[in-house]
Amino acid sequence: MGCFSRIIASPMVGLALAFTALQPAGAAEGGSVFSDPSKIAAIGGSITEIVYALGEEKHLVARDSTSRYPKAALDLPDVGYMRALSPEGVLSVNPTGILALQGSGPKEAVDVLKKTSIPFIEVPEHYSREGILEKVRIVGKALGADAKAEVLARELDARLTAAEKQTASIKERKRVLFVLSVQGGKILAAGSETAADGMVRLAGGVNAVEGFSGYKQMSDEAIITARPDVILMMSNAGPPVSDDELFGNPSVASTPAGAARKLIRIDGGYLLGFGPRTADAIHDLAVSLYGGQVTD
């Protein structure tokens, strides 16, 4: 069992990150370069992380509550959770620009922010290697750091490609059930088009869930039919679920993962961020799934 807590997140940060996966992919809003990047409000953990990875953190005047890495970001004013923003909270830091991950909301608040005179650039979210590189290039362009962004994108491309190849020779793929939460004995699991699904695939696993996108509550029969070899959950996310509570669920207990009590917990921001650290997260998840079969 693997457990990697690379950041110290508030209890709901990992849960919040997972729910951003419910948002459809979109395009950048309006202009693509800030005319005045001196005071930027960064909304979305991966956006803030990319700004720091580019060495452009001097531009930041605020962050949202999912932006908890690197540690230095915690010194910035917090304008709230990216899915529950208030225009007043964001505007209170007097930003010259707003750089927001697609999926920020609620829609009404974002609409208000877009109608102000403050430039608003929305960064698309795709749960893939290409999606990470696109985010890096868009953030870099927005801050006038195109050259730095290209260098970082090429570095990350090489690392992500190498991380994916680490499981290329593995024949027997693990079936992974990503459990977002357990409420009233019911399992909320990740389907397709989610950050969890993307990470499982990148790490050489197979999403045990088929037939729906987003996060949905599964019936006992559906869990048994999914036949997961492994349960994957986030640490530091939402109400804690003990191993005994999870494996005490009759439907989970009836699966190969339940019989073997195979559970992997990884920090939510690290696992689902799709940013500069994702290559490391892929490696860690792959090692947790396959151990010595992973080739470095």
Side-chain angles (χ1 to χ4, degrees), residues 83 85-87 104-115:
R83 291 287 300 277
L85 299 172
S86 73
S104 299
K107 182 180 183 300
E108 295 77 13
V110 171
D111 287 345
V112 169
L113 291 171
K114 288 179 179 178
K115 290 176 182 177

Side-chain angles (χ1 to χ4, degrees), residues 163-175:
E164 290 181 67
K165 288 180 178 178
Q166 290 173 334
T167 56
S169 63
I170 295 173
K171 299 293 191 293
E172 296 293 327
R173 301 283 167 161
K174 300 288 187 180
R175 294 177 59 82

